[in-house]
mmCIF file of all heavy atoms in Angstrom:
data_model
loop_
_atom_site.group_PDB
_atom_site.id
_atom_site.type_symbol
_atom_site.label_atom_id
_atom_site.label_comp_id
_atom_site.label_asym_id
_atom_site.label_seq_id
_atom_site.Cartn_x
_atom_site.Cartn_y
_atom_site.Cartn_z
ATOM 1 N N VAL A 1 0.836 -1.207 0.000
ATOM 2 C CA VAL A 1 0.000 0.000 0.000
ATOM 3 C C VAL A 1 0.865 1.249 0.000
ATOM 4 O O VAL A 1 0.569 2.230 -0.698
ATOM 5 C CB VAL A 1 -0.947 -0.010 1.220
ATOM 6 C CG1 VAL A 1 -1.663 1.327 1.343
ATOM 7 C CG2 VAL A 1 -1.959 -1.130 1.102
ATOM 8 N N SER A 2 1.972 1.219 0.771
ATOM 9 C CA SER A 2 2.888 2.359 0.809
ATOM 10 C C SER A 2 3.479 2.633 -0.571
ATOM 11 O O SER A 2 3.594 3.787 -1.002
ATOM 12 C CB SER A 2 4.004 2.089 1.816
ATOM 13 O OG SER A 2 4.942 3.142 1.822
ATOM 14 N N THR A 3 3.843 1.559 -1.283
ATOM 15 C CA THR A 3 4.381 1.714 -2.641
ATOM 16 C C THR A 3 3.315 2.259 -3.589
ATOM 17 O O THR A 3 3.578 3.141 -4.415
ATOM 18 C CB THR A 3 4.885 0.361 -3.174
ATOM 19 O OG1 THR A 3 5.892 -0.146 -2.286
ATOM 20 C CG2 THR A 3 5.477 0.507 -4.569
ATOM 21 N N GLY A 4 2.085 1.752 -3.451
ATOM 22 C CA GLY A 4 0.999 2.226 -4.299
ATOM 23 C C GLY A 4 0.687 3.686 -4.087
ATOM 24 O O GLY A 4 0.357 4.412 -5.039
ATOM 25 N N ARG A 5 0.795 4.148 -2.853
ATOM 26 C CA ARG A 5 0.504 5.557 -2.553
ATOM 27 C C ARG A 5 1.470 6.490 -3.266
ATOM 28 O O ARG A 5 1.110 7.637 -3.573
ATOM 29 C CB ARG A 5 0.577 5.797 -1.049
ATOM 30 C CG ARG A 5 -0.603 5.248 -0.261
ATOM 31 C CD ARG A 5 -0.534 5.684 1.181
ATOM 32 N NE ARG A 5 -0.562 7.137 1.281
ATOM 33 C CZ ARG A 5 0.217 7.840 2.086
ATOM 34 N NH1 ARG A 5 1.112 7.239 2.860
ATOM 35 N NH2 ARG A 5 0.114 9.160 2.127
ATOM 36 N N ARG A 6 2.686 6.036 -3.521
ATOM 37 C CA ARG A 6 3.657 6.906 -4.197
ATOM 38 C C ARG A 6 3.215 7.238 -5.611
ATOM 39 O O ARG A 6 3.530 8.318 -6.125
ATOM 40 C CB ARG A 6 5.038 6.229 -4.205
ATOM 41 C CG ARG A 6 5.764 6.353 -2.880
ATOM 42 C CD ARG A 6 7.256 6.210 -3.043
ATOM 43 N NE ARG A 6 7.919 6.652 -1.826
ATOM 44 C CZ ARG A 6 8.888 5.974 -1.224
ATOM 45 N NH1 ARG A 6 9.291 4.825 -1.712
ATOM 46 N NH2 ARG A 6 9.468 6.470 -0.154
ATOM 47 N N TRP A 7 2.474 6.348 -6.248
ATOM 48 C CA TRP A 7 1.948 6.651 -7.576
ATOM 49 C C TRP A 7 0.956 7.804 -7.502
ATOM 50 O O TRP A 7 0.924 8.664 -8.387
ATOM 51 C CB TRP A 7 1.263 5.406 -8.158
ATOM 52 C CG TRP A 7 2.220 4.352 -8.617
ATOM 53 C CD1 TRP A 7 2.664 3.289 -7.907
ATOM 54 C CD2 TRP A 7 2.861 4.281 -9.899
ATOM 55 N NE1 TRP A 7 3.545 2.541 -8.656
ATOM 56 C CE2 TRP A 7 3.680 3.131 -9.892
ATOM 57 C CE3 TRP A 7 2.821 5.065 -11.052
ATOM 58 C CZ2 TRP A 7 4.447 2.753 -10.989
ATOM 59 C CZ3 TRP A 7 3.583 4.686 -12.149
ATOM 60 C CH2 TRP A 7 4.394 3.539 -12.104
ATOM 61 N N PHE A 8 0.137 7.825 -6.441
ATOM 62 C CA PHE A 8 -0.836 8.903 -6.284
ATOM 63 C C PHE A 8 -0.157 10.240 -6.009
ATOM 64 O O PHE A 8 -0.701 11.292 -6.311
ATOM 65 C CB PHE A 8 -1.800 8.586 -5.139
ATOM 66 C CG PHE A 8 -2.675 7.391 -5.385
ATOM 67 C CD1 PHE A 8 -2.861 6.434 -4.397
ATOM 68 C CD2 PHE A 8 -3.318 7.212 -6.600
ATOM 69 C CE1 PHE A 8 -3.669 5.328 -4.614
ATOM 70 C CE2 PHE A 8 -4.120 6.104 -6.828
ATOM 71 C CZ PHE A 8 -4.298 5.164 -5.833
ATOM 72 N N ARG A 9 1.054 10.198 -5.415
ATOM 73 C CA ARG A 9 1.723 11.435 -5.008
ATOM 74 C C ARG A 9 2.624 12.029 -6.099
ATOM 75 O O ARG A 9 3.198 13.098 -5.887
ATOM 76 C CB ARG A 9 2.567 11.188 -3.746
ATOM 77 C CG ARG A 9 1.765 10.808 -2.524
ATOM 78 C CD ARG A 9 2.546 11.058 -1.247
ATOM 79 N NE ARG A 9 3.779 10.312 -1.180
ATOM 80 C CZ ARG A 9 3.933 9.138 -0.550
ATOM 81 N NH1 ARG A 9 2.896 8.585 0.054
ATOM 82 N NH2 ARG A 9 5.100 8.536 -0.514
ATOM 83 N N LEU A 10 2.738 11.351 -7.234
ATOM 84 C CA LEU A 10 3.673 11.818 -8.256
ATOM 85 C C LEU A 10 3.332 13.221 -8.758
ATOM 86 O O LEU A 10 4.216 13.995 -9.100
ATOM 87 C CB LEU A 10 3.705 10.834 -9.441
ATOM 88 C CG LEU A 10 4.416 9.503 -9.173
ATOM 89 C CD1 LEU A 10 4.343 8.605 -10.410
ATOM 90 C CD2 LEU A 10 5.881 9.736 -8.785
ATOM 91 N N GLY A 11 2.070 13.564 -8.850
ATOM 92 C CA GLY A 11 1.682 14.889 -9.342
ATOM 93 C C GLY A 11 1.517 15.935 -8.270
ATOM 94 O O GLY A 11 1.128 17.070 -8.560
ATOM 95 N N ASN A 12 1.832 15.560 -7.024
ATOM 96 C CA ASN A 12 1.587 16.490 -5.918
ATOM 97 C C ASN A 12 2.542 17.679 -5.896
ATOM 98 O O ASN A 12 2.264 18.673 -5.216
ATOM 99 C CB ASN A 12 1.673 15.741 -4.583
ATOM 100 C CG ASN A 12 0.416 14.942 -4.293
ATOM 101 O OD1 ASN A 12 -0.560 15.029 -5.034
ATOM 102 N ND2 ASN A 12 0.445 14.149 -3.251
ATOM 103 N N VAL A 13 3.667 17.577 -6.605
ATOM 104 C CA VAL A 13 4.583 18.720 -6.684
ATOM 105 C C VAL A 13 3.870 19.902 -7.329
ATOM 106 O O VAL A 13 3.960 21.040 -6.856
ATOM 107 C CB VAL A 13 5.852 18.367 -7.492
ATOM 108 C CG1 VAL A 13 6.716 19.600 -7.693
ATOM 109 C CG2 VAL A 13 6.648 17.279 -6.788
ATOM 110 N N VAL A 14 3.132 19.620 -8.402
ATOM 111 C CA VAL A 14 2.395 20.677 -9.106
ATOM 112 C C VAL A 14 1.313 21.263 -8.198
ATOM 113 O O VAL A 14 1.140 22.487 -8.125
ATOM 114 C CB VAL A 14 1.773 20.129 -10.405
ATOM 115 C CG1 VAL A 14 0.941 21.215 -11.094
ATOM 116 C CG2 VAL A 14 2.861 19.618 -11.333
ATOM 117 N N HIS A 15 0.585 20.375 -7.490
ATOM 118 C CA HIS A 15 -0.470 20.851 -6.582
ATOM 119 C C HIS A 15 0.108 21.718 -5.468
ATOM 120 O O HIS A 15 -0.491 22.731 -5.074
ATOM 121 C CB HIS A 15 -1.215 19.656 -5.980
ATOM 122 C CG HIS A 15 -1.976 18.842 -6.983
ATOM 123 N ND1 HIS A 15 -2.833 19.405 -7.902
ATOM 124 C CD2 HIS A 15 -2.000 17.505 -7.222
ATOM 125 C CE1 HIS A 15 -3.356 18.466 -8.654
ATOM 126 N NE2 HIS A 15 -2.866 17.296 -8.267
ATOM 127 N N ALA A 16 1.273 21.324 -4.945
ATOM 128 C CA ALA A 16 1.909 22.096 -3.873
ATOM 129 C C ALA A 16 2.358 23.463 -4.390
ATOM 130 O O ALA A 16 2.272 24.468 -3.671
ATOM 131 C CB ALA A 16 3.101 21.324 -3.305
ATOM 132 N N MET A 17 2.837 23.522 -5.640
ATOM 133 C CA MET A 17 3.236 24.805 -6.229
ATOM 134 C C MET A 17 2.019 25.712 -6.422
ATOM 135 O O MET A 17 2.093 26.918 -6.184
ATOM 136 C CB MET A 17 3.946 24.565 -7.561
ATOM 137 C CG MET A 17 5.307 23.883 -7.408
ATOM 138 S SD MET A 17 6.090 23.499 -8.999
ATOM 139 C CE MET A 17 6.420 25.138 -9.622
ATOM 140 N N GLN A 18 0.904 25.125 -6.850
ATOM 141 C CA GLN A 18 -0.325 25.910 -7.005
ATOM 142 C C GLN A 18 -0.820 26.417 -5.652
ATOM 143 O O GLN A 18 -1.273 27.568 -5.542
ATOM 144 C CB GLN A 18 -1.398 25.047 -7.675
ATOM 145 C CG GLN A 18 -1.126 24.737 -9.139
ATOM 146 C CD GLN A 18 -2.169 23.808 -9.730
ATOM 147 O OE1 GLN A 18 -2.881 23.105 -9.006
ATOM 148 N NE2 GLN A 18 -2.272 23.791 -11.050
ATOM 149 N N ALA A 19 -0.713 25.572 -4.628
ATOM 150 C CA ALA A 19 -1.118 25.977 -3.280
ATOM 151 C C ALA A 19 -0.239 27.114 -2.773
ATOM 152 O O ALA A 19 -0.709 28.018 -2.075
ATOM 153 C CB ALA A 19 -1.038 24.783 -2.328
ATOM 154 N N THR A 20 1.045 27.098 -3.135
ATOM 155 C CA THR A 20 1.959 28.173 -2.752
ATOM 156 C C THR A 20 1.538 29.496 -3.381
ATOM 157 O O THR A 20 1.513 30.541 -2.711
ATOM 158 C CB THR A 20 3.398 27.836 -3.176
ATOM 159 O OG1 THR A 20 3.783 26.583 -2.607
ATOM 160 C CG2 THR A 20 4.375 28.912 -2.713
ATOM 161 N N GLN A 21 1.190 29.455 -4.660
ATOM 162 C CA GLN A 21 0.741 30.662 -5.353
ATOM 163 C C GLN A 21 -0.542 31.213 -4.732
ATOM 164 O O GLN A 21 -0.707 32.435 -4.601
ATOM 165 C CB GLN A 21 0.512 30.353 -6.832
ATOM 166 C CG GLN A 21 1.799 30.044 -7.598
ATOM 167 C CD GLN A 21 1.535 29.673 -9.050
ATOM 168 O OE1 GLN A 21 0.448 29.203 -9.394
ATOM 169 N NE2 GLN A 21 2.512 29.875 -9.910
ATOM 170 N N GLN A 22 -1.446 30.329 -4.327
ATOM 171 C CA GLN A 22 -2.702 30.771 -3.723
ATOM 172 C C GLN A 22 -2.475 31.361 -2.330
ATOM 173 O O GLN A 22 -3.087 32.373 -1.973
ATOM 174 C CB GLN A 22 -3.672 29.589 -3.634
ATOM 175 C CG GLN A 22 -4.152 29.094 -4.991
ATOM 176 C CD GLN A 22 -4.974 27.824 -4.889
ATOM 177 O OE1 GLN A 22 -5.163 27.274 -3.802
ATOM 178 N NE2 GLN A 22 -5.459 27.334 -6.022
ATOM 179 N N SER A 23 -1.583 30.740 -1.543
ATOM 180 C CA SER A 23 -1.370 31.209 -0.171
ATOM 181 C C SER A 23 -0.696 32.583 -0.131
ATOM 182 O O SER A 23 -0.844 33.315 0.854
ATOM 183 C CB SER A 23 -0.512 30.194 0.603
ATOM 184 O OG SER A 23 0.750 30.016 0.003
ATOM 185 N N ILE A 24 0.024 32.942 -1.185
ATOM 186 C CA ILE A 24 0.659 34.266 -1.242
ATOM 187 C C ILE A 24 -0.391 35.378 -1.177
ATOM 188 O O ILE A 24 -0.124 36.475 -0.682
ATOM 189 C CB ILE A 24 1.511 34.392 -2.527
ATOM 190 C CG1 ILE A 24 2.738 33.476 -2.432
ATOM 191 C CG2 ILE A 24 1.955 35.830 -2.768
ATOM 192 C CD1 ILE A 24 3.561 33.432 -3.694
ATOM 193 N N HIS A 25 -1.596 35.067 -1.641
ATOM 194 C CA HIS A 25 -2.660 36.070 -1.711
ATOM 195 C C HIS A 25 -3.573 36.056 -0.482
ATOM 196 O O HIS A 25 -4.625 36.709 -0.500
ATOM 197 C CB HIS A 25 -3.496 35.850 -2.976
ATOM 198 C CG HIS A 25 -2.699 35.948 -4.242
ATOM 199 N ND1 HIS A 25 -2.170 37.120 -4.706
ATOM 200 C CD2 HIS A 25 -2.322 34.981 -5.131
ATOM 201 C CE1 HIS A 25 -1.507 36.903 -5.833
ATOM 202 N NE2 HIS A 25 -1.584 35.619 -6.115
ATOM 203 N N ALA A 26 -3.203 35.322 0.564
ATOM 204 C CA ALA A 26 -4.004 35.318 1.792
ATOM 205 C C ALA A 26 -4.045 36.726 2.384
ATOM 206 O O ALA A 26 -3.035 37.441 2.397
ATOM 207 C CB ALA A 26 -3.421 34.332 2.798
ATOM 208 N N THR A 27 -5.205 37.137 2.860
ATOM 209 C CA THR A 27 -5.369 38.505 3.354
ATOM 210 C C THR A 27 -4.650 38.742 4.681
ATOM 211 O O THR A 27 -4.143 39.833 4.922
ATOM 212 C CB THR A 27 -6.874 38.823 3.532
ATOM 213 O OG1 THR A 27 -7.462 37.813 4.366
ATOM 214 C CG2 THR A 27 -7.583 38.829 2.186
ATOM 215 N N ASP A 28 -4.604 37.731 5.535
ATOM 216 C CA ASP A 28 -3.981 37.870 6.853
ATOM 217 C C ASP A 28 -2.496 37.521 6.761
ATOM 218 O O ASP A 28 -2.115 36.533 6.137
ATOM 219 C CB ASP A 28 -4.675 36.958 7.862
ATOM 220 C CG ASP A 28 -4.490 37.447 9.291
ATOM 221 O OD1 ASP A 28 -3.461 38.096 9.540
ATOM 222 O OD2 ASP A 28 -5.351 37.169 10.147
ATOM 223 N N LEU A 29 -1.652 38.321 7.405
ATOM 224 C CA LEU A 29 -0.204 38.154 7.300
ATOM 225 C C LEU A 29 0.274 36.813 7.829
ATOM 226 O O LEU A 29 1.084 36.130 7.172
ATOM 227 C CB LEU A 29 0.510 39.290 8.044
ATOM 228 C CG LEU A 29 2.044 39.188 8.105
ATOM 229 C CD1 LEU A 29 2.643 39.223 6.706
ATOM 230 C CD2 LEU A 29 2.612 40.318 8.967
ATOM 231 N N VAL A 30 -0.189 36.405 9.015
ATOM 232 C CA VAL A 30 0.316 35.170 9.633
ATOM 233 C C VAL A 30 -0.026 33.937 8.798
ATOM 234 O O VAL A 30 0.873 33.141 8.477
ATOM 235 C CB VAL A 30 -0.214 35.030 11.078
ATOM 236 C CG1 VAL A 30 0.207 33.685 11.672
ATOM 237 C CG2 VAL A 30 0.310 36.165 11.950
ATOM 238 N N PRO A 31 -1.287 33.724 8.401
ATOM 239 C CA PRO A 31 -1.573 32.588 7.521
ATOM 240 C C PRO A 31 -0.817 32.660 6.198
ATOM 241 O O PRO A 31 -0.374 31.635 5.681
ATOM 242 C CB PRO A 31 -3.088 32.680 7.293
ATOM 243 C CG PRO A 31 -3.598 33.399 8.479
ATOM 244 C CD PRO A 31 -2.529 34.402 8.815
ATOM 245 N N ARG A 32 -0.674 33.881 5.643
ATOM 246 C CA ARG A 32 0.040 34.028 4.383
ATOM 247 C C ARG A 32 1.486 33.563 4.507
ATOM 248 O O ARG A 32 1.981 32.793 3.676
ATOM 249 C CB ARG A 32 0.000 35.496 3.928
ATOM 250 C CG ARG A 32 0.727 35.719 2.604
ATOM 251 C CD ARG A 32 0.383 37.066 2.011
ATOM 252 N NE ARG A 32 0.927 38.172 2.774
ATOM 253 C CZ ARG A 32 0.211 39.115 3.366
ATOM 254 N NH1 ARG A 32 -1.116 39.067 3.304
ATOM 255 N NH2 ARG A 32 0.776 40.097 4.036
ATOM 256 N N LEU A 33 2.158 33.988 5.573
ATOM 257 C CA LEU A 33 3.557 33.616 5.785
ATOM 258 C C LEU A 33 3.690 32.121 6.085
ATOM 259 O O LEU A 33 4.519 31.419 5.477
ATOM 260 C CB LEU A 33 4.133 34.441 6.934
ATOM 261 C CG LEU A 33 5.624 34.258 7.242
ATOM 262 C CD1 LEU A 33 6.467 34.668 6.042
ATOM 263 C CD2 LEU A 33 6.014 35.069 8.471
ATOM 264 N N CYS A 34 2.860 31.630 7.009
ATOM 265 C CA CYS A 34 2.960 30.222 7.419
ATOM 266 C C CYS A 34 2.622 29.268 6.275
ATOM 267 O O CYS A 34 3.355 28.291 6.032
ATOM 268 C CB CYS A 34 2.030 29.948 8.605
ATOM 269 S SG CYS A 34 2.548 30.710 10.153
ATOM 270 N N LEU A 35 1.526 29.544 5.577
ATOM 271 C CA LEU A 35 1.101 28.644 4.518
ATOM 272 C C LEU A 35 2.033 28.679 3.316
ATOM 273 O O LEU A 35 2.290 27.646 2.690
ATOM 274 C CB LEU A 35 -0.326 28.988 4.084
ATOM 275 C CG LEU A 35 -1.423 28.664 5.099
ATOM 276 C CD1 LEU A 35 -2.780 29.111 4.569
ATOM 277 C CD2 LEU A 35 -1.447 27.170 5.403
ATOM 278 N N THR A 36 2.556 29.858 2.994
ATOM 279 C CA THR A 36 3.486 29.950 1.869
ATOM 280 C C THR A 36 4.758 29.147 2.152
ATOM 281 O O THR A 36 5.216 28.354 1.314
ATOM 282 C CB THR A 36 3.856 31.420 1.586
ATOM 283 O OG1 THR A 36 2.663 32.153 1.270
ATOM 284 C CG2 THR A 36 4.817 31.513 0.409
ATOM 285 N N LEU A 37 5.325 29.331 3.341
ATOM 286 C CA LEU A 37 6.523 28.574 3.710
ATOM 287 C C LEU A 37 6.229 27.083 3.841
ATOM 288 O O LEU A 37 7.045 26.243 3.445
ATOM 289 C CB LEU A 37 7.096 29.118 5.022
ATOM 290 C CG LEU A 37 7.689 30.528 4.967
ATOM 291 C CD1 LEU A 37 8.119 30.987 6.353
ATOM 292 C CD2 LEU A 37 8.874 30.570 4.000
ATOM 293 N N ALA A 38 5.042 26.753 4.393
ATOM 294 C CA ALA A 38 4.660 25.346 4.526
ATOM 295 C C ALA A 38 4.534 24.685 3.156
ATOM 296 O O ALA A 38 5.017 23.570 2.946
ATOM 297 C CB ALA A 38 3.346 25.225 5.296
ATOM 298 N N ASN A 39 3.901 25.373 2.214
ATOM 299 C CA ASN A 39 3.728 24.804 0.875
ATOM 300 C C ASN A 39 5.045 24.704 0.118
ATOM 301 O O ASN A 39 5.252 23.756 -0.654
ATOM 302 C CB ASN A 39 2.725 25.642 0.082
ATOM 303 C CG ASN A 39 1.296 25.433 0.545
ATOM 304 O OD1 ASN A 39 0.899 24.321 0.859
ATOM 305 N ND2 ASN A 39 0.518 26.494 0.597
ATOM 306 N N LEU A 40 5.961 25.647 0.339
ATOM 307 C CA LEU A 40 7.294 25.541 -0.276
ATOM 308 C C LEU A 40 8.031 24.311 0.240
ATOM 309 O O LEU A 40 8.708 23.606 -0.520
ATOM 310 C CB LEU A 40 8.102 26.810 0.017
ATOM 311 C CG LEU A 40 7.720 28.058 -0.785
ATOM 312 C CD1 LEU A 40 8.483 29.277 -0.276
ATOM 313 C CD2 LEU A 40 7.987 27.850 -2.273
ATOM 314 N N ASN A 41 7.889 24.052 1.536
ATOM 315 C CA ASN A 41 8.506 22.848 2.102
ATOM 316 C C ASN A 41 7.833 21.585 1.569
ATOM 317 O O ASN A 41 8.501 20.555 1.398
ATOM 318 C CB ASN A 41 8.430 22.892 3.632
ATOM 319 C CG ASN A 41 9.562 23.681 4.246
ATOM 320 O OD1 ASN A 41 10.688 23.202 4.365
ATOM 321 N ND2 ASN A 41 9.273 24.905 4.646
ATOM 322 N N ARG A 42 6.533 21.664 1.312
ATOM 323 C CA ARG A 42 5.834 20.524 0.714
ATOM 324 C C ARG A 42 6.329 20.261 -0.702
ATOM 325 O O ARG A 42 6.432 19.103 -1.120
ATOM 326 C CB ARG A 42 4.327 20.777 0.708
ATOM 327 C CG ARG A 42 3.676 20.585 2.062
ATOM 328 C CD ARG A 42 2.200 20.954 2.027
ATOM 329 N NE ARG A 42 1.455 20.128 1.105
ATOM 330 C CZ ARG A 42 0.995 18.912 1.384
ATOM 331 N NH1 ARG A 42 1.233 18.387 2.568
ATOM 332 N NH2 ARG A 42 0.307 18.224 0.501
ATOM 333 N N VAL A 43 6.647 21.313 -1.436
ATOM 334 C CA VAL A 43 7.206 21.142 -2.782
ATOM 335 C C VAL A 43 8.507 20.349 -2.699
ATOM 336 O O VAL A 43 8.718 19.371 -3.441
ATOM 337 C CB VAL A 43 7.444 22.510 -3.455
ATOM 338 C CG1 VAL A 43 8.246 22.332 -4.745
ATOM 339 C CG2 VAL A 43 6.119 23.208 -3.762
#
């Protein structure tokens, strides 16, 4: 199952990059900073 899950995660780099772009536009400073850095680490 662990090996199979890696197939599902192959495209997650793109999703994490898109999430980073979206979090940059967060209205509140703290969520914007935390989520942007978190998503960069996810990439």
Side-chain angles (χ1 to χ4, degrees):
V1 171
S2 177
T3 302
R5 286 187 60 223
R6 281 203 166 133
W7 286 94
F8 295 135
R9 296 200 300 264
L10 287 178
N12 282 354
V13 174
V14 177
H15 295 311
M17 292 176 67
Q18 290 176 340
T20 304
Q21 292 177 335
Q22 292 173 358
S23 60
I24 291 175
H25 300 291
T27 54
D28 203 332
L29 176 62
V30 175
R32 180 166 69 242
L33 184 62
C34 290
L35 290 178
T36 300
L37 292 175
N39 286 321
L40 285 173
N41 276 282
R42 283 176 61 82
V43 170

